[in-house]
Tab-separated table of all heavy atoms in Angstrom:
chain	number	residue	atom	x	y	z
A	1	GLY	N	-16.100	-1.009	4.285
A	1	GLY	CA	-14.690	-0.718	4.170
A	1	GLY	C	-13.831	-1.722	4.908
A	1	GLY	O	-12.863	-2.239	4.366
A	2	LEU	N	-14.194	-1.997	6.149
A	2	LEU	CA	-13.419	-2.924	6.959
A	2	LEU	C	-13.458	-4.328	6.366
A	2	LEU	O	-12.429	-5.003	6.263
A	2	LEU	CB	-13.925	-2.932	8.399
A	2	LEU	CG	-13.140	-3.782	9.383
A	2	LEU	CD1	-11.701	-3.312	9.501
A	2	LEU	CD2	-13.808	-3.766	10.752
A	3	GLU	N	-14.627	-4.754	5.931
A	3	GLU	CA	-14.770	-6.095	5.357
A	3	GLU	C	-13.950	-6.221	4.073
A	3	GLU	O	-13.289	-7.235	3.840
A	3	GLU	CB	-16.234	-6.413	5.085
A	3	GLU	CG	-17.042	-6.622	6.338
A	3	GLU	CD	-18.523	-6.820	6.058
A	3	GLU	OE1	-18.901	-7.039	4.880
A	3	GLU	OE2	-19.293	-6.757	7.016
A	4	LEU	N	-13.990	-5.205	3.240
A	4	LEU	CA	-13.201	-5.215	2.003
A	4	LEU	C	-11.714	-5.295	2.320
A	4	LEU	O	-10.976	-6.080	1.721
A	4	LEU	CB	-13.494	-3.981	1.159
A	4	LEU	CG	-12.646	-3.818	-0.098
A	4	LEU	CD1	-12.850	-4.974	-1.060
A	4	LEU	CD2	-12.968	-2.493	-0.771
A	5	LEU	N	-11.277	-4.508	3.271
A	5	LEU	CA	-9.866	-4.512	3.633
A	5	LEU	C	-9.452	-5.871	4.196
A	5	LEU	O	-8.376	-6.379	3.871
A	5	LEU	CB	-9.576	-3.398	4.645
A	5	LEU	CG	-8.112	-3.217	5.027
A	5	LEU	CD1	-7.234	-2.986	3.801
A	5	LEU	CD2	-7.980	-2.072	6.016
A	6	GLU	N	-10.300	-6.495	5.003
A	6	GLU	CA	-10.006	-7.827	5.523
A	6	GLU	C	-9.857	-8.834	4.375
A	6	GLU	O	-8.957	-9.672	4.395
A	6	GLU	CB	-11.101	-8.281	6.492
A	6	GLU	CG	-11.070	-7.546	7.812
A	6	GLU	CD	-12.262	-7.837	8.705
A	6	GLU	OE1	-13.346	-8.191	8.183
A	6	GLU	OE2	-12.109	-7.685	9.924
A	7	GLN	N	-10.736	-8.731	3.385
A	7	GLN	CA	-10.657	-9.639	2.232
A	7	GLN	C	-9.377	-9.404	1.435
A	7	GLN	O	-8.707	-10.354	1.015
A	7	GLN	CB	-11.876	-9.464	1.325
A	7	GLN	CG	-13.152	-9.993	1.917
A	7	GLN	CD	-14.353	-9.697	1.032
A	7	GLN	OE1	-14.228	-9.307	-0.122
A	7	GLN	NE2	-15.542	-9.885	1.580
A	8	LEU	N	-9.040	-8.149	1.222
A	8	LEU	CA	-7.822	-7.828	0.484
A	8	LEU	C	-6.582	-8.344	1.209
A	8	LEU	O	-5.686	-8.930	0.594
A	8	LEU	CB	-7.707	-6.324	0.258
A	8	LEU	CG	-8.678	-5.722	-0.745
A	8	LEU	CD1	-8.596	-4.199	-0.700
A	8	LEU	CD2	-8.398	-6.241	-2.141
A	9	ARG	N	-6.543	-8.125	2.504
A	9	ARG	CA	-5.393	-8.597	3.279
A	9	ARG	C	-5.344	-10.127	3.271
A	9	ARG	O	-4.266	-10.714	3.244
A	9	ARG	CB	-5.440	-8.070	4.707
A	9	ARG	CG	-5.286	-6.549	4.835
A	9	ARG	CD	-3.971	-6.048	4.272
A	9	ARG	NE	-3.766	-4.659	4.657
A	9	ARG	CZ	-3.129	-3.772	3.917
A	9	ARG	NH1	-2.627	-4.104	2.762
A	9	ARG	NH2	-2.978	-2.541	4.338
A	10	GLY	N	-6.508	-10.771	3.269
A	10	GLY	CA	-6.576	-12.223	3.187
A	10	GLY	C	-6.018	-12.751	1.880
A	10	GLY	O	-5.562	-13.892	1.791
A	11	LYS	N	-6.059	-11.909	0.855
A	11	LYS	CA	-5.493	-12.278	-0.458
A	11	LYS	C	-4.057	-11.762	-0.594
A	11	LYS	O	-3.518	-11.684	-1.691
A	11	LYS	CB	-6.372	-11.726	-1.575
A	11	LYS	CG	-7.758	-12.357	-1.602
A	11	LYS	CD	-8.587	-11.775	-2.718
A	11	LYS	CE	-10.003	-12.272	-2.646
A	11	LYS	NZ	-10.186	-13.629	-3.100
A	12	ARG	N	-3.497	-11.355	0.528
A	12	ARG	CA	-2.102	-10.895	0.622
A	12	ARG	C	-1.832	-9.569	-0.072
A	12	ARG	O	-0.706	-9.280	-0.485
A	12	ARG	CB	-1.151	-11.971	0.141
A	12	ARG	CG	-1.286	-13.201	0.993
A	12	ARG	CD	-0.339	-14.250	0.603
A	12	ARG	NE	-0.693	-15.423	1.423
A	12	ARG	CZ	0.132	-16.361	1.743
A	12	ARG	NH1	1.358	-16.311	1.323
A	12	ARG	NH2	-0.261	-17.382	2.463
A	13	PHE	N	-2.872	-8.747	-0.204
A	13	PHE	CA	-2.679	-7.388	-0.714
A	13	PHE	C	-1.905	-6.614	0.336
A	13	PHE	O	-2.309	-6.549	1.503
A	13	PHE	CB	-4.034	-6.717	-0.969
A	13	PHE	CG	-3.923	-5.265	-1.333
A	13	PHE	CD1	-3.542	-4.884	-2.603
A	13	PHE	CD2	-4.198	-4.286	-0.396
A	13	PHE	CE1	-3.442	-3.544	-2.945
A	13	PHE	CE2	-4.098	-2.943	-0.725
A	13	PHE	CZ	-3.723	-2.575	-1.997
A	14	ARG	N	-0.769	-6.036	-0.066
A	14	ARG	CA	0.071	-5.328	0.887
A	14	ARG	C	0.164	-3.833	0.596
A	14	ARG	O	1.017	-3.137	1.137
A	14	ARG	CB	1.465	-5.940	0.879
A	14	ARG	CG	1.467	-7.359	1.405
A	14	ARG	CD	2.845	-7.992	1.425
A	14	ARG	NE	3.931	-7.129	1.042
A	14	ARG	CZ	4.874	-7.444	0.164
A	14	ARG	NH1	4.856	-8.590	-0.448
A	14	ARG	NH2	5.853	-6.606	-0.108
A	15	GLY	N	-0.715	-3.349	-0.270
A	15	GLY	CA	-0.667	-1.936	-0.628
A	15	GLY	C	-1.008	-1.021	0.533
A	15	GLY	O	-1.592	-1.420	1.523
A	16	ARG	N	-0.628	0.205	0.403
A	16	ARG	CA	-0.901	1.215	1.430
A	16	ARG	C	-2.359	1.636	1.336
A	16	ARG	O	-2.910	1.738	0.249
A	16	ARG	CB	0.014	2.400	1.239
A	16	ARG	CG	1.461	1.945	1.179
A	16	ARG	CD	2.383	2.960	1.721
A	16	ARG	NE	3.753	2.523	1.604
A	16	ARG	CZ	4.373	1.726	2.465
A	16	ARG	NH1	3.726	1.266	3.504
A	16	ARG	NH2	5.627	1.383	2.295
A	17	VAL	N	-2.969	1.898	2.500
A	17	VAL	CA	-4.395	2.214	2.555
A	17	VAL	C	-4.623	3.459	3.392
A	17	VAL	O	-4.085	3.588	4.494
A	17	VAL	CB	-5.195	1.035	3.164
A	17	VAL	CG1	-6.657	1.388	3.311
A	17	VAL	CG2	-5.018	-0.220	2.324
A	18	ILE	N	-5.437	4.361	2.856
A	18	ILE	CA	-5.923	5.524	3.592
A	18	ILE	C	-7.427	5.350	3.687
A	18	ILE	O	-8.099	5.196	2.676
A	18	ILE	CB	-5.589	6.837	2.861
A	18	ILE	CG1	-4.073	7.002	2.726
A	18	ILE	CG2	-6.217	8.029	3.599
A	18	ILE	CD1	-3.655	8.142	1.823
A	19	VAL	N	-7.963	5.362	4.898
A	19	VAL	CA	-9.398	5.192	5.120
A	19	VAL	C	-10.034	6.550	5.370
A	19	VAL	O	-9.510	7.356	6.143
A	19	VAL	CB	-9.655	4.264	6.335
A	19	VAL	CG1	-11.115	4.286	6.742
A	19	VAL	CG2	-9.215	2.848	6.024
A	20	ILE	N	-11.165	6.792	4.716
A	20	ILE	CA	-11.980	7.976	4.978
A	20	ILE	C	-13.306	7.461	5.508
A	20	ILE	O	-13.980	6.689	4.838
A	20	ILE	CB	-12.194	8.818	3.706
A	20	ILE	CG1	-10.847	9.275	3.158
A	20	ILE	CG2	-13.107	10.008	4.002
A	20	ILE	CD1	-10.942	9.961	1.813
A	21	SER	N	-13.667	7.876	6.724
A	21	SER	CA	-14.850	7.311	7.358
A	21	SER	C	-15.706	8.385	8.022
A	21	SER	O	-15.194	9.294	8.654
A	21	SER	CB	-14.416	6.290	8.419
A	21	SER	OG	-15.531	5.783	9.100
A	22	GLY	N	-17.006	8.210	7.861
A	22	GLY	CA	-17.954	9.097	8.529
A	22	GLY	C	-18.396	8.537	9.874
A	22	GLY	O	-19.063	9.192	10.656
A	23	TYR	N	-18.017	7.289	10.125
A	23	TYR	CA	-18.379	6.627	11.371
A	23	TYR	C	-17.136	5.924	11.892
A	23	TYR	O	-16.738	4.885	11.393
A	23	TYR	CB	-19.492	5.600	11.139
A	23	TYR	CG	-19.846	4.821	12.376
A	23	TYR	CD1	-20.628	5.395	13.373
A	23	TYR	CD2	-19.386	3.528	12.561
A	23	TYR	CE1	-20.946	4.687	14.512
A	23	TYR	CE2	-19.698	2.811	13.700
A	23	TYR	CZ	-20.482	3.402	14.674
A	23	TYR	OH	-20.782	2.698	15.814
A	24	LEU	N	-16.509	6.517	12.879
A	24	LEU	CA	-15.266	5.967	13.379
A	24	LEU	C	-15.319	5.885	14.898
A	24	LEU	O	-15.585	6.873	15.575
A	24	LEU	CB	-14.096	6.845	12.937
A	24	LEU	CG	-12.711	6.297	13.155
A	24	LEU	CD1	-12.529	4.981	12.396
A	24	LEU	CD2	-11.676	7.292	12.710
A	25	THR	N	-15.109	4.691	15.392
A	25	THR	CA	-15.032	4.479	16.835
A	25	THR	C	-13.610	4.031	17.166
A	25	THR	O	-12.841	3.656	16.265
A	25	THR	CB	-16.009	3.382	17.292
A	25	THR	OG1	-15.622	2.137	16.700
A	25	THR	CG2	-17.445	3.728	16.912
A	26	LEU	N	-13.281	4.021	18.440
A	26	LEU	CA	-11.974	3.542	18.853
A	26	LEU	C	-11.795	2.075	18.451
A	26	LEU	O	-10.730	1.674	17.980
A	26	LEU	CB	-11.802	3.705	20.366
A	26	LEU	CG	-10.461	3.268	20.930
A	26	LEU	CD1	-9.316	4.010	20.265
A	26	LEU	CD2	-10.432	3.465	22.430
A	27	GLU	N	-12.860	1.287	18.583
A	27	GLU	CA	-12.808	-0.128	18.209
A	27	GLU	C	-12.480	-0.302	16.715
A	27	GLU	O	-11.638	-1.120	16.344
A	27	GLU	CB	-14.136	-0.804	18.527
A	27	GLU	CG	-14.174	-2.277	18.182
A	27	GLU	CD	-15.516	-2.929	18.474
A	27	GLU	OE1	-16.414	-2.267	19.052
A	27	GLU	OE2	-15.667	-4.095	18.102
A	28	LEU	N	-13.144	0.485	15.859
A	28	LEU	CA	-12.862	0.417	14.420
A	28	LEU	C	-11.446	0.888	14.112
A	28	LEU	O	-10.762	0.296	13.272
A	28	LEU	CB	-13.864	1.260	13.633
A	28	LEU	CG	-15.220	0.628	13.370
A	28	LEU	CD1	-16.156	1.642	12.710
A	28	LEU	CD2	-15.071	-0.592	12.482
A	29	GLU	N	-11.020	1.929	14.786
A	29	GLU	CA	-9.671	2.427	14.544
A	29	GLU	C	-8.630	1.366	14.889
A	29	GLU	O	-7.677	1.157	14.146
A	29	GLU	CB	-9.410	3.698	15.352
A	29	GLU	CG	-8.056	4.293	15.046
A	29	GLU	CD	-7.820	5.646	15.663
A	29	GLU	OE1	-8.774	6.271	16.153
A	29	GLU	OE2	-6.665	6.081	15.642
A	30	VAL	N	-8.836	0.666	15.991
A	30	VAL	CA	-7.914	-0.403	16.380
A	30	VAL	C	-7.897	-1.500	15.317
A	30	VAL	O	-6.834	-2.007	14.943
A	30	VAL	CB	-8.294	-0.972	17.774
A	30	VAL	CG1	-7.546	-2.252	18.072
A	30	VAL	CG2	-8.034	0.068	18.855
A	31	LYS	N	-9.067	-1.863	14.804
A	31	LYS	CA	-9.147	-2.897	13.759
A	31	LYS	C	-8.439	-2.445	12.485
A	31	LYS	O	-7.700	-3.214	11.864
A	31	LYS	CB	-10.598	-3.255	13.463
A	31	LYS	CG	-11.253	-4.051	14.573
A	31	LYS	CD	-12.694	-4.371	14.246
A	31	LYS	CE	-13.341	-5.145	15.380
A	31	LYS	NZ	-14.737	-5.493	15.073
A	32	TYR	N	-8.681	-1.204	12.086
A	32	TYR	CA	-8.016	-0.684	10.884
A	32	TYR	C	-6.496	-0.686	11.061
A	32	TYR	O	-5.756	-1.078	10.167
A	32	TYR	CB	-8.485	0.735	10.563
A	32	TYR	CG	-9.803	0.806	9.841
A	32	TYR	CD1	-10.838	1.610	10.313
A	32	TYR	CD2	-10.016	0.110	8.661
A	32	TYR	CE1	-12.045	1.695	9.644
A	32	TYR	CE2	-11.221	0.196	7.980
A	32	TYR	CZ	-12.225	0.990	8.476
A	32	TYR	OH	-13.413	1.073	7.799
A	33	ARG	N	-6.036	-0.247	12.211
A	33	ARG	CA	-4.593	-0.207	12.471
A	33	ARG	C	-3.996	-1.612	12.434
A	33	ARG	O	-2.895	-1.815	11.917
A	33	ARG	CB	-4.298	0.448	13.813
A	33	ARG	CG	-4.677	1.898	13.900
A	33	ARG	CD	-3.744	2.767	13.120
A	33	ARG	NE	-4.165	4.157	13.265
A	33	ARG	CZ	-3.864	5.095	12.422
A	33	ARG	NH1	-3.144	4.821	11.357
A	33	ARG	NH2	-4.284	6.313	12.604
A	34	ALA	N	-4.725	-2.586	12.977
A	34	ALA	CA	-4.252	-3.972	12.967
A	34	ALA	C	-4.117	-4.514	11.545
A	34	ALA	O	-3.306	-5.401	11.284
A	34	ALA	CB	-5.193	-4.854	13.775
A	35	LEU	N	-4.910	-3.957	10.631
A	35	LEU	CA	-4.851	-4.363	9.225
A	35	LEU	C	-3.852	-3.528	8.422
A	35	LEU	O	-3.765	-3.645	7.205
A	35	LEU	CB	-6.246	-4.274	8.592
A	35	LEU	CG	-7.237	-5.317	9.088
A	35	LEU	CD1	-8.656	-4.969	8.653
A	35	LEU	CD2	-6.849	-6.702	8.603
A	36	GLY	N	-3.121	-2.667	9.111
A	36	GLY	CA	-2.052	-1.918	8.465
A	36	GLY	C	-2.458	-0.641	7.761
A	36	GLY	O	-1.749	-0.179	6.863
A	37	VAL	N	-3.588	-0.063	8.163
A	37	VAL	CA	-4.027	1.191	7.535
A	37	VAL	C	-3.021	2.295	7.842
A	37	VAL	O	-2.606	2.484	8.978
A	37	VAL	CB	-5.442	1.576	8.026
A	37	VAL	CG1	-5.805	2.984	7.610
A	37	VAL	CG2	-6.457	0.591	7.489
A	38	GLU	N	-2.630	2.974	6.794
A	38	GLU	CA	-1.627	4.037	6.890
A	38	GLU	C	-2.173	5.283	7.611
A	38	GLU	O	-1.513	5.850	8.472
A	38	GLU	CB	-1.198	4.406	5.473
A	38	GLU	CG	-0.183	5.471	5.388
A	38	GLU	CD	1.176	4.922	5.022
A	38	GLU	OE1	1.331	3.721	4.836
A	38	GLU	OE2	2.077	5.735	4.931
A	39	ARG	N	-3.361	5.698	7.231
A	39	ARG	CA	-3.952	6.920	7.804
A	39	ARG	C	-5.460	6.771	7.833
A	39	ARG	O	-6.045	6.204	6.907
A	39	ARG	CB	-3.557	8.111	6.932
A	39	ARG	CG	-4.077	9.473	7.323
A	39	ARG	CD	-3.224	10.202	8.339
A	39	ARG	NE	-1.890	10.541	7.918
A	39	ARG	CZ	-1.526	11.685	7.372
A	39	ARG	NH1	-2.390	12.613	7.125
A	39	ARG	NH2	-0.274	11.890	7.052
A	40	ILE	N	-6.087	7.303	8.876
A	40	ILE	CA	-7.545	7.315	8.996
A	40	ILE	C	-7.982	8.772	9.065
A	40	ILE	O	-7.514	9.523	9.921
A	40	ILE	CB	-8.011	6.561	10.250
A	40	ILE	CG1	-7.517	5.114	10.210
A	40	ILE	CG2	-9.528	6.608	10.372
A	40	ILE	CD1	-7.713	4.357	11.513
A	41	ILE	N	-8.873	9.145	8.156
A	41	ILE	CA	-9.365	10.518	8.092
A	41	ILE	C	-10.873	10.487	8.328
A	41	ILE	O	-11.598	9.745	7.676
A	41	ILE	CB	-9.057	11.152	6.724
A	41	ILE	CG1	-7.539	11.168	6.493
A	41	ILE	CG2	-9.659	12.548	6.628
A	41	ILE	CD1	-7.126	11.628	5.108
A	42	GLY	N	-11.335	11.300	9.266
A	42	GLY	CA	-12.765	11.365	9.559
A	42	GLY	C	-13.481	12.348	8.654
A	42	GLY	O	-12.902	13.319	8.178
A	43	LYS	N	-14.763	12.056	8.406
A	43	LYS	CA	-15.617	12.973	7.635
A	43	LYS	C	-16.325	13.889	8.612
A	43	LYS	O	-16.665	13.461	9.707
A	43	LYS	CB	-16.671	12.196	6.845
A	43	LYS	CG	-16.138	11.404	5.681
A	43	LYS	CD	-17.295	10.688	4.996
A	43	LYS	CE	-16.832	9.780	3.905
A	43	LYS	NZ	-17.955	9.040	3.308
A	44	PRO	N	-16.602	15.085	8.253
A	44	PRO	CA	-16.130	15.734	7.022
A	44	PRO	C	-14.623	15.962	7.118
A	44	PRO	O	-14.088	16.174	8.203
A	44	PRO	CB	-16.902	17.041	6.982
A	44	PRO	CG	-17.208	17.352	8.404
A	44	PRO	CD	-17.361	16.019	9.085
A	45	PHE	N	-13.965	15.911	5.994
A	45	PHE	CA	-12.521	16.083	6.002
A	45	PHE	C	-12.133	17.297	5.176
A	45	PHE	O	-12.864	17.743	4.308
A	45	PHE	CB	-11.804	14.836	5.478
A	45	PHE	CG	-12.107	14.509	4.047
A	45	PHE	CD1	-11.322	14.996	3.031
A	45	PHE	CD2	-13.186	13.699	3.736
A	45	PHE	CE1	-11.602	14.688	1.707
A	45	PHE	CE2	-13.465	13.385	2.413
A	45	PHE	CZ	-12.676	13.888	1.399
A	46	ASP	N	-10.986	17.792	5.487
A	46	ASP	CA	-10.408	18.920	4.771
A	46	ASP	C	-9.606	18.367	3.592
A	46	ASP	O	-8.819	17.427	3.754
A	46	ASP	CB	-9.493	19.697	5.731
A	46	ASP	CG	-8.837	20.876	5.068
A	46	ASP	OD1	-9.558	21.846	4.770
A	46	ASP	OD2	-7.619	20.816	4.842
A	47	LEU	N	-9.831	18.902	2.420
A	47	LEU	CA	-9.146	18.414	1.225
A	47	LEU	C	-7.627	18.478	1.380
A	47	LEU	O	-6.910	17.594	0.923
A	47	LEU	CB	-9.599	19.198	-0.005
A	47	LEU	CG	-9.169	18.643	-1.349
A	47	LEU	CD1	-9.569	17.184	-1.519
A	47	LEU	CD2	-9.749	19.475	-2.477
A	48	ASP	N	-7.141	19.494	2.055
A	48	ASP	CA	-5.699	19.600	2.274
A	48	ASP	C	-5.183	18.438	3.131
A	48	ASP	O	-4.071	17.958	2.928
A	48	ASP	CB	-5.340	20.932	2.926
A	48	ASP	CG	-5.489	22.096	1.962
A	48	ASP	OD1	-5.338	21.886	0.736
A	48	ASP	OD2	-5.760	23.216	2.426
A	49	GLU	N	-5.995	17.987	4.087
A	49	GLU	CA	-5.613	16.850	4.922
A	49	GLU	C	-5.476	15.579	4.065
A	49	GLU	O	-4.526	14.807	4.212
A	49	GLU	CB	-6.641	16.629	6.025
A	49	GLU	CG	-6.321	15.485	6.947
A	49	GLU	CD	-7.372	15.274	8.023
A	49	GLU	OE1	-8.463	15.887	7.962
A	49	GLU	OE2	-7.102	14.465	8.924
A	50	LEU	N	-6.417	15.382	3.137
A	50	LEU	CA	-6.354	14.236	2.246
A	50	LEU	C	-5.136	14.330	1.322
A	50	LEU	O	-4.404	13.361	1.133
A	50	LEU	CB	-7.634	14.117	1.421
A	50	LEU	CG	-7.674	12.984	0.404
A	50	LEU	CD1	-7.476	11.628	1.073
A	50	LEU	CD2	-8.990	13.010	-0.363
A	51	ARG	N	-4.926	15.498	0.775
A	51	ARG	CA	-3.754	15.694	-0.094
A	51	ARG	C	-2.465	15.363	0.649
A	51	ARG	O	-1.568	14.722	0.114
A	51	ARG	CB	-3.699	17.134	-0.594
A	51	ARG	CG	-4.636	17.432	-1.705
A	51	ARG	CD	-4.373	18.833	-2.264
A	51	ARG	NE	-5.363	19.158	-3.251
A	51	ARG	CZ	-6.179	20.195	-3.194
A	51	ARG	NH1	-6.109	21.059	-2.198
A	51	ARG	NH2	-7.067	20.410	-4.142
A	52	GLN	N	-2.380	15.826	1.894
A	52	GLN	CA	-1.179	15.587	2.691
A	52	GLN	C	-0.996	14.100	2.966
A	52	GLN	O	0.119	13.583	2.895
A	52	GLN	CB	-1.236	16.358	4.014
A	52	GLN	CG	0.057	16.303	4.792
A	52	GLN	CD	1.207	16.938	4.027
A	52	GLN	OE1	1.120	18.075	3.582
A	52	GLN	NE2	2.299	16.196	3.863
A	53	ALA	N	-2.085	13.396	3.256
A	53	ALA	CA	-2.004	11.949	3.504
A	53	ALA	C	-1.493	11.222	2.266
A	53	ALA	O	-0.650	10.318	2.365
A	53	ALA	CB	-3.376	11.412	3.910
A	54	VAL	N	-1.981	11.614	1.098
A	54	VAL	CA	-1.531	10.989	-0.151
A	54	VAL	C	-0.063	11.333	-0.398
A	54	VAL	O	0.744	10.458	-0.740
A	54	VAL	CB	-2.412	11.423	-1.341
A	54	VAL	CG1	-1.819	10.957	-2.666
A	54	VAL	CG2	-3.825	10.894	-1.158
A	55	GLU	N	0.299	12.581	-0.211
A	55	GLU	CA	1.694	12.988	-0.404
A	55	GLU	C	2.622	12.249	0.548
A	55	GLU	O	3.713	11.829	0.157
A	55	GLU	CB	1.852	14.503	-0.225
A	55	GLU	CG	1.333	15.309	-1.381
A	55	GLU	CD	2.089	15.032	-2.673
A	55	GLU	OE1	3.339	14.928	-2.662
A	55	GLU	OE2	1.431	14.889	-3.711
A	56	ASP	N	2.201	12.066	1.794
A	56	ASP	CA	3.019	11.361	2.775
A	56	ASP	C	3.238	9.905	2.376
A	56	ASP	O	4.263	9.314	2.711
A	56	ASP	CB	2.372	11.405	4.164
A	56	ASP	CG	2.386	12.792	4.782
A	56	ASP	OD1	3.102	13.686	4.273
A	56	ASP	OD2	1.663	12.999	5.783
A	57	SER	N	2.283	9.328	1.672
A	57	SER	CA	2.385	7.926	1.243
A	57	SER	C	3.151	7.763	-0.059
A	57	SER	O	3.660	6.688	-0.339
A	57	SER	CB	0.990	7.328	1.068
A	57	SER	OG	0.345	7.239	2.302
A	58	ARG	N	3.225	8.799	-0.851
A	58	ARG	CA	3.836	8.698	-2.181
A	58	ARG	C	5.279	8.210	-2.194
A	58	ARG	O	5.599	7.317	-2.959
A	58	ARG	CB	3.770	10.038	-2.896
A	58	ARG	CG	2.533	10.163	-3.733
A	58	ARG	CD	2.535	11.448	-4.445
A	58	ARG	NE	2.963	11.190	-5.813
A	58	ARG	CZ	3.108	12.105	-6.704
A	58	ARG	NH1	2.924	13.352	-6.403
A	58	ARG	NH2	3.467	11.813	-7.929
A	59	PRO	N	6.163	8.763	-1.373
A	59	PRO	CA	7.550	8.268	-1.420
A	59	PRO	C	7.615	6.770	-1.138
A	59	PRO	O	8.405	6.060	-1.726
A	59	PRO	CB	8.266	9.059	-0.338
A	59	PRO	CG	7.425	10.259	-0.115
A	59	PRO	CD	6.011	9.845	-0.449
A	60	LEU	N	6.769	6.301	-0.272
A	60	LEU	CA	6.738	4.875	0.056
A	60	LEU	C	6.234	4.069	-1.134
A	60	LEU	O	6.735	2.986	-1.413
A	60	LEU	CB	5.840	4.640	1.272
A	60	LEU	CG	6.278	5.356	2.554
A	60	LEU	CD1	5.198	5.228	3.612
A	60	LEU	CD2	7.599	4.801	3.042
A	61	MET	N	5.234	4.608	-1.841
A	61	MET	CA	4.687	3.883	-2.995
A	61	MET	C	5.686	3.853	-4.140
A	61	MET	O	5.809	2.849	-4.830
A	61	MET	CB	3.376	4.537	-3.466
A	61	MET	CG	2.220	4.315	-2.508
A	61	MET	SD	0.649	4.889	-3.157
A	61	MET	CE	0.851	6.652	-3.132
A	62	VAL	N	6.426	4.928	-4.333
A	62	VAL	CA	7.392	4.989	-5.418
A	62	VAL	C	8.531	4.019	-5.154
A	62	VAL	O	8.977	3.298	-6.047
A	62	VAL	CB	7.917	6.428	-5.606
A	62	VAL	CG1	9.094	6.447	-6.556
A	62	VAL	CG2	6.799	7.321	-6.104
A	63	SER	N	8.988	3.934	-3.902
A	63	SER	CA	10.104	3.046	-3.598
A	63	SER	C	9.688	1.590	-3.535
A	63	SER	O	10.498	0.705	-3.685
A	63	SER	CB	10.753	3.460	-2.270
A	63	SER	OG	9.847	3.253	-1.204
A	64	ASN	N	8.372	1.334	-3.316
A	64	ASN	CA	7.886	-0.027	-3.218
A	64	ASN	C	6.494	-0.093	-3.850
A	64	ASN	O	5.498	-0.214	-3.148
A	64	ASN	CB	7.843	-0.458	-1.742
A	64	ASN	CG	7.553	-1.921	-1.581
A	64	ASN	OD1	7.460	-2.658	-2.558
A	64	ASN	ND2	7.381	-2.349	-0.355
A	65	PRO	N	6.399	-0.019	-5.179
A	65	PRO	CA	5.111	0.104	-5.849
A	65	PRO	C	4.184	-1.094	-5.694
A	65	PRO	O	2.984	-0.972	-5.878
A	65	PRO	CB	5.482	0.320	-7.319
A	65	PRO	CG	6.848	-0.258	-7.447
A	65	PRO	CD	7.518	-0.058	-6.118
A	66	MET	N	4.677	-2.244	-5.333
A	66	MET	CA	3.820	-3.420	-5.196
A	66	MET	C	3.366	-3.635	-3.760
A	66	MET	O	2.755	-4.633	-3.445
A	66	MET	CB	4.568	-4.664	-5.686
A	66	MET	CG	4.917	-4.607	-7.161
A	66	MET	SD	3.509	-4.256	-8.231
A	66	MET	CE	2.639	-5.800	-8.117
A	67	GLY	N	3.579	-2.694	-2.872
A	67	GLY	CA	3.085	-2.845	-1.500
A	67	GLY	C	4.220	-2.936	-0.587
A	67	GLY	O	4.358	-3.138	0.491
């Protein structure tokens, strides 16, 4: 996940990102945040938490669909 996100950002992808991870350390969280991750959700996750994260990002995506 982190490597993919680094590659995407290297190609100037500016889209919003929600990470779902079963292995999350403080070090990884700092790296994800530095790459502009909108929300980090740990596994196991509650479906309502994921829905809320997507809903929270939607107004931003609608107003700026290209990132």
Side-chain angles (χ1 to χ4, degrees):
L2 184 61
E3 290 175 13
L4 175 62
L5 185 56
E6 288 172 334
Q7 289 175 13
L8 289 171
R9 294 300 191 212
K11 295 180 187 284
R12 299 183 186 206
F13 173 77
R14 294 181 4 229
R16 307 211 182 276
V17 176
I18 299 170
V19 169
I20 300 173
S21 177
Y23 176 77
L24 191 60
T25 64
L26 181 57
E27 180 181 354
L28 280 174
E29 184 172 348
V30 168
K31 288 179 181 181
Y32 279 128
R33 295 287 181 203
L35 290 167
V37 169
E38 180 106 0
R39 179 86 63 93
I40 302 170
I41 300 173
K43 289 180 185 177
F45 63 92
D46 179 70
L47 191 54
D48 288 332
E49 181 181 10
L50 178 58
R51 282 188 185 121
Q52 188 62 53
V54 171
E55 285 297 318
D56 291 347
S57 293
R58 268 182 101 182
L60 299 171
M61 289 188 290
V62 170
S63 66
N64 189 5
M66 297 307 288

